[in-house]
Amino acid sequence: MAEGLARPVAVADRARARRHLLDWLACAVAGSVEPGAVEPHRLAALEGEGPCRVIRGGRRGPQAAALANGPAGALLEMDDVDKRGLLHPGPVVFPAVLAAADAAGVDDGAAVLDAVVRGYEAMIRVGRAVGPGHAARFHVTASCGGFGAAAGAASVLGLDPLRTAWALGNAGQQAFGLWQVRHEPVFTKALHDGRAAANGLASALLARDGYAGPLAIFEGPHGFFHGLCPDGSPEAVLDGGDAWAIHEVSFKPHAACRHAHAAIDAVLALREQAAGGALQSLRIGTYGDALTFCDRPSPRTPGEAKFSLQHAAAVAWLHGDADLPRFMTAVIADPAVAALRGRVELSRDAGCDARYPARFGAVAEAVLADGTTLRADAPDALGDPEKPLDDAALIAKARALFAWGGLTEPTAEALIAAALSLGEGASLADVWAAAPVDVEETR
């Protein structure tokens, strides 16, 4: 893999990486004021001062910075996603790459963007190869994230293919991320992002100094695939083709688990068809994993609401969107929302199942009070490569998240401009100059 990661990154690839930089910054700035962000910041502060910048966390050492920046980008469940790999590269790769750049004194925007493209590639290739047995037991973002962090950091540090392979090997030795976090009201899922970023970054820094790692980490008799992936394929790690995988990563317009997005899109289409007609019931058919993760008829917290198809469908119908405020406590407790959640019926749809995970789809039916039945099919979620989110929508999402994170409009616009011109007139220092770095308490 290391040799393949060394191939050139083109202008169009860097342009795509800028869009993901903006998206990560928006998620991380907004997430940095949420519950679950302050504790990693305090943990990072125990390591003392350093050269690496943390959003609302000051300057810390490399591993501490990566560990603190990781959770912030994931807490609001609006981070980017590779649907085939079932993982979220942004909140792992960006904290590692940015910390590596700060630690090494790299300010060149093109070098940072190239590293992001390579980090996404490594993480996605491994994630797509692990198989459903692994994905059922492990949070793939955590277990495969270290590979992406190591590859991205290795690129920033200028490591040759052998040292990059060492970094990948030692990152793989630290694979982790059990799915028990899904069953308890904890923030550990977001902490996975920071730990994967820190592990991969440390592996790259060690490799730079000559610390070797196992070269057969993927295919070895006691390696990653034999140990953790009962139906995975280590050979598939090399199946990348000529195009960089970052172009296939999806953006999330709605403030919910990605498994709920196609259902939200379908309900919004039904709402438009109904043109104000009174609703009797909603029926949603989707693929099995969406039900496994998001069949939650009575959510009690914002975190649970984001993983509730019933809640997502109810707010989409009642409010016409599934934005961040719709998943807050007041809306969860709203009697009208609660009543509609109780009239949302879920089922497994054979067509959606057959297309998953290549396509995240849903079908929805609305039965109106007058007996009319409406149907909407969303074979892909908005933000997928098959149904892309345009620049205007991506910038609008960023503005909303920056406002949620407390940025003034001029600061938000400066950060958007710097992110979208990184490597073409803007340096990494320009991006950080517009980002909130000073230490602040979260909500």
Side-chain angles (χ1 to χ4, degrees):
M1 175 189 272
E3 290 81 2
L5 292 173
R7 70 187 191 274
V9 176
V11 171
D13 307 320
R14 290 175 183 160
R16 178 71 183 204
R18 289 186 196 97
R19 300 184 86 223
H20 287 277
L21 170 61
L22 175 61
D23 195 60
W24 175 77
L25 283 166
C27 291
V29 167
S32 71
V33 301
E34 289 297 306
V38 69
E39 295 87 354
H41 283 172
R42 290 172 180 162
L43 178 62
L46 293 176
E47 304 298 322
E49 297 294 321
C52 305
R53 286 162 282 203
V54 177
I55 293 177
R56 287 200 170 89
R59 288 177 176 261
R60 306 298 175 201
Q63 289 190 78
L67 178 64
N69 276 329
L75 282 165
L76 289 172
E77 296 293 340
M78 297 191 75
D79 42 333
D80 59 12
V81 56
D82 179 68
K83 53 184 171 32
R84 286 172 55 195
L86 300 175
L87 52 78
H88 305 271
V92 176
V93 173
F94 278 105
V97 166
L98 295 178
D102 275 348
V106 174
D107 193 42
D108 177 43
V112 170
L113 295 170
D114 289 359
V116 168
V117 171
R118 292 177 175 130
Y120 271 57
E121 185 76 10
M123 185 172 173
I124 290 169
R125 282 202 193 187
V126 180
R128 290 178 179 180
V130 296
H134 177 93
R137 295 166 177 81
F138 289 89
H139 180 200
V140 185
T141 300
S143 61
C144 300
F147 295 112
S155 179
V156 166
L157 298 173
L159 303 192
D160 61 27
L162 175 60
R163 290 178 188 249
T164 298
W166 288 348
L168 292 169
N170 280 330
Q173 287 291 146
Q174 302 174 77
F176 72 103
L178 297 172
W179 258 140
Q180 182 59 31
V181 296
R182 286 174 38 219
H183 305 293
E184 302 185 35
V186 295
F187 293 118
T188 314
K189 179 173 177 286
L191 181 63
H192 284 173
D193 299 75
R195 178 53 63 195
N199 286 350
L201 170 63
S203 298
L205 290 169
L206 288 167
R208 179 188 63 178
D209 294 338
Y211 198 94
L215 298 180
I217 187 62
F218 296 120
E219 74 278 17
H222 291 90
F224 178 81
F225 278 86
H226 280 284
L228 301 179
C229 310
D231 51 6
S233 173
E235 297 81 10
V237 172
L238 301 178
D239 296 340
D242 295 329
W244 293 100
I246 193 170
H247 293 281
E248 299 175 19
V249 176
S250 302
F251 295 101
K252 294 172 68 175
H254 308 306
C257 173
R258 186 59 171 176
H259 291 308
H261 278 225
I264 292 169
D265 294 339
V267 171
L268 291 174
L270 289 177
R271 186 178 191 269
E272 186 174 350
Q273 290 180 44
L279 180 69
Q280 179 175 310
S281 64
L282 276 172
R283 302 170 187 153
I284 294 172
T286 187
Y287 50 91
D289 269 359
L291 302 179
T292 297
F293 281 82
C294 297
D295 183 0
R296 190 169 277 107
S298 302
R300 297 163 296 173
T301 66
E304 290 181 350
K306 289 171 178 288
F307 284 82
S308 169
L309 277 164
Q310 292 91 338
H311 183 82
V315 296
W317 181 273
L318 290 173
H319 296 285
D321 65 67
D323 295 342
L324 270 174
R326 310 305 182 197
F327 297 87
M328 297 298 106
T329 303
V331 177
I332 296 168
D334 182 347
V337 174
L340 184 49
R341 282 197 303 259
R343 302 202 304 276
V344 177
E345 303 171 18
L346 305 183
S347 64
R348 193 160 180 166
D349 181 81
C352 294
D353 252 339
R355 294 187 294 268
Y356 176 79
R359 301 177 76 176
F360 281 29
V363 294
E365 287 186 352
V367 179
L368 303 185
D370 64 4
T372 301
T373 298
L374 306 174
R375 178 184 169 90
D377 189 356
D380 302 291
L382 179 62
D384 282 346
E386 298 84 358
K387 194 177 179 182
L389 205 65
D390 62 23
D391 285 347
L394 189 66
I395 291 171
K397 173 187 172 181
R399 286 176 176 143
L401 287 173
F402 287 145
W404 187 269
L407 298 194
T408 64
E409 185 176 338
T411 299
E413 294 305 315
L415 189 47
I416 291 168
L420 293 180
S421 58
L422 180 65
E424 289 188 343
S427 66
L428 187 57
D430 295 324
V431 173
W432 279 121
V437 175
D438 292 340
V439 177
E440 297 179 16
E441 283 293 316
T442 59
R443 290 174 182 165

